[in-house]
Amino acid sequence: MCKMGPITMAGIMLIMIILTTQSFAETPKRPPNIDIGNFEYVLSSVNDVTRDVIVYWQNIHENEKNTIDDSFEYRAYYTSITDKNTIIHHPCNKTYANHATFVGLELNIGYNISVYSANKDGLSTEYANIYIPSSSERNDTVSLSLTKVKTYNDQGVYELSWEIYDSQKLFAANQLNYYTLYWCENDINHPNQCNGYMDWIYIPRTETSYIISVPDYWKDYQFAISANSMTLQKSNADGNQIYKFNSVSSGLVWESCTTLKITKTSKLNSIWISEVGKTFMALRWKFDCSEKTDFIHDFHIFYCPIQSLDDLQCLEKEQFKVVEKYMKQDRTPFAFLSNLKPSTTYKILILIYILNGDVIEGDPIIKATLPEAE
């Protein structure tokens, strides 16, 4: 058996250290993934004549960062060209785990934004690019509303539905038109920016709803949508006819209400009397995002006259009214209570009957009818 001397062993150890160090002495393998609609405008935090722009991306995997320390980060820049055709890279104001914020950008200028992966050895060789249209360009597109999100069960299955306005401005017959649906891991509901892993899927423009199963049902997710179009155009640059896609996007629009998880302890979001007379009341209510979802069977309304705010016991037998889920005005359910007594205080209670048999109860409201005219 051969024995190694201490010098030989030290040399081998030194070689191993050098090889180990060199194996990590390289920049990240690639930039993050970015889609055409991965941006949004928000009100400027510095004045009312500029805009703040947020650009989102999908994080790269740990084994692509090429680092064993905490030096990995994302870097985002927008570019401008000087009179001497010199390209200047302007860094973003702040970078987060999956998005970057640019503060005070001009309204009437479109911006090309590049996002790199970086570590202590430098930037990734390639970069992700996204174009942020000017306000005038964006006004030529559409507005979107992602309004209904619900949980079917506790296994992370959601139904999303959306509405699009002025779709003719973006969707045309000679274009590739589609939506992008986004989901992002998030501990805090919008308007707090989502800061977790983001993913997306493409949906045909003919669809207005989609059922999705998220990867980890025990996590909270935030959803968004963009409307996009791609037109194949001919370019005559340098005398050569080249076909390329001209892409336009509405930008990313987050869900307009929080994810709804129906439980027996859920409550009506708000109840109010929209009109009152001597013998009638018009009643309206909201329940988070439920106006368009299918899990509600109907609404039951109970009401009776009471002595006063200090005594909520019914003076007469409680009256009962059923309101079908499709009875709405201005997108909110409503009920009309008639044949009431003038100058009388009423207690009103709404129960929501769910298709799975659960019942959701709202807090009672107290309201008096108008007195008889003298």
Side-chain angles (χ1 to χ4, degrees):
M1 179 180 294
C2 295
K3 294 184 178 180
M4 291 185 180
I7 296 178
T8 305
M9 179 64 73
I12 292 176
M13 291 297 293
L14 179 59
I15 293 172
M16 291 176 64
I17 291 173
I18 292 174
L19 290 175
T20 302
T21 303
Q22 288 180 341
S23 67
F24 290 102
E26 56 181 322
T27 61
K29 291 184 178 180
R30 65 175 179 89
N33 292 328
I34 291 184
D35 195 55
I36 177 179
N38 283 39
F39 69 91
E40 66 172 325
Y41 299 166
V42 296
L43 294 175
S44 178
S45 57
V46 293
N47 54 54
D48 57 359
V49 294
T50 61
R51 54 181 170 156
D52 295 350
V53 172
I54 302 172
V55 175
Y56 294 86
W57 55 78
Q58 184 186 68
N59 300 334
I60 69 173
H61 299 294
E62 288 295 324
N63 60 3
E64 299 175 299
K65 296 179 179 179
N66 287 341
T67 183
I68 57 174
D69 54 28
D70 296 329
S71 67
F72 179 85
E73 62 181 350
Y74 296 103
R75 297 184 188 176
Y77 306 86
Y78 76 82
T79 57
S80 64
I81 301 178
T82 66
D83 295 337
K84 297 181 179 180
N85 290 328
T86 301
I87 298 177
I88 301 177
H89 291 80
H90 305 266
C92 64
N93 295 87
K94 193 163 185 179
T95 305
Y96 300 85
N98 76 342
H99 63 275
T101 301
F102 294 84
V103 176
L105 298 189
E106 298 291 334
L107 296 172
N108 59 348
I109 297 177
Y111 291 87
N112 282 303
I113 292 179
S114 305
V115 182
Y116 297 80
S117 298
N119 59 23
K120 64 182 180 182
D121 296 300
L123 303 178
S124 54
T125 304
E126 298 180 347
Y127 59 87
N129 186 72
I130 186 171
Y131 177 71
I132 310 300
S134 65
S135 295
S136 59
E137 290 174 294
R138 195 176 187 231
N139 288 339
D140 291 335
T141 58
V142 298
S143 58
L144 276 167
S145 175
L146 184 63
T147 54
K148 311 303 167 194
V149 182
K150 75 172 182 179
T151 302
Y152 268 79
N153 49 40
D154 292 331
Q155 301 304 311
V157 181
Y158 296 84
E159 179 181 299
L160 294 86
S161 61
W162 55 89
E163 296 181 67
I164 186 169
Y165 311 94
D166 300 325
S167 62
Q168 69 277 4
K169 293 182 179 180
L170 179 63
F171 291 164
N174 63 337
Q175 298 175 161
L176 174 61
N177 303 308
Y178 63 98
Y179 298 104
T180 306
L181 278 180
Y182 305 85
W183 58 98
C184 180
E185 298 173 8
N186 196 34
D187 295 331
I188 308 175
N189 288 317
H190 194 68
N192 296 281
Q193 300 303 328
C194 183
N195 205 28
Y197 186 79
M198 175 178 281
D199 205 349
W200 50 83
I201 189 173
Y202 303 116
I203 306 295
R205 64 148 296 188
T206 53
E207 302 298 321
T208 58
S209 64
Y210 189 79
I211 296 176
I212 188 170
S213 179
V214 294
D216 302 315
Y217 68 87
W218 62 89
K219 294 182 179 179
D220 290 324
Y221 285 84
Q222 192 169 311
F223 298 92
I225 190 171
S226 68
N228 319 293
S229 69
M230 299 178 67
T231 306
L232 191 62
Q233 295 183 338
K234 183 184 295 185
S235 174
N236 291 317
D238 302 324
N240 298 318
Q241 291 187 347
I242 302 174
Y243 286 93
K244 64 177 183 179
F245 279 106
N246 180 39
S247 301
V248 181
S249 177
S250 64
L252 187 146
V253 179
W254 292 105
E255 63 193 61
S256 58
C257 58
T258 58
T259 302
L260 181 63
K261 296 183 179 179
I262 295 299
T263 67
K264 291 184 179 181
T265 59
S266 298
K267 288 284 188 178
L268 283 166
N269 210 23
S270 57
I271 310 172
W272 69 97
I273 303 295
S274 60
E275 191 175 357
V276 62
K278 293 178 292 185
T279 60
F280 69 89
M281 291 184 191
L283 183 67
R284 292 178 181 270
W285 59 92
K286 286 186 177 181
F287 184 77
D288 291 333
C289 314
S290 64
E291 296 96 290
K292 285 191 174 181
T293 52
D294 298 328
F295 59 82
I296 292 177
H297 185 270
D298 54 27
F299 304 94
H300 291 193
I301 302 175
F302 298 87
Y303 58 102
C304 66
I306 60 173
Q307 184 66 41
S308 66
L309 292 174
D310 299 324
D311 186 358
L312 300 183
Q313 295 297 318
C314 292
L315 298 177
E316 300 176 359
K317 182 180 178 181
E318 204 168 37
Q319 299 183 65
F320 168 72
K321 183 180 184 69
V322 176
V323 178
E324 301 294 337
K325 65 177 181 180
Y326 55 79
M327 293 187 64
K328 303 184 185 72
Q329 289 179 346
D330 301 326
R331 300 186 181 184
T332 58
F334 78 100
F336 193 80
L337 306 182
S338 58
N339 299 320
L340 305 180
K341 296 179 180 180
S343 300
T344 303
T345 302
Y346 281 84
K347 177 179 68 174
I348 304 170
L349 182 66
I350 300 178
L351 302 182
I352 299 179
Y353 281 75
I354 310 302
L355 291 177
N356 65 5
D358 289 342
V359 179
I360 299 171
E361 181 177 328
D363 295 323
I365 60 173
I366 309 300
K367 188 71 174 180
T369 53
L370 298 179
E372 288 277 17
E374 296 181 359

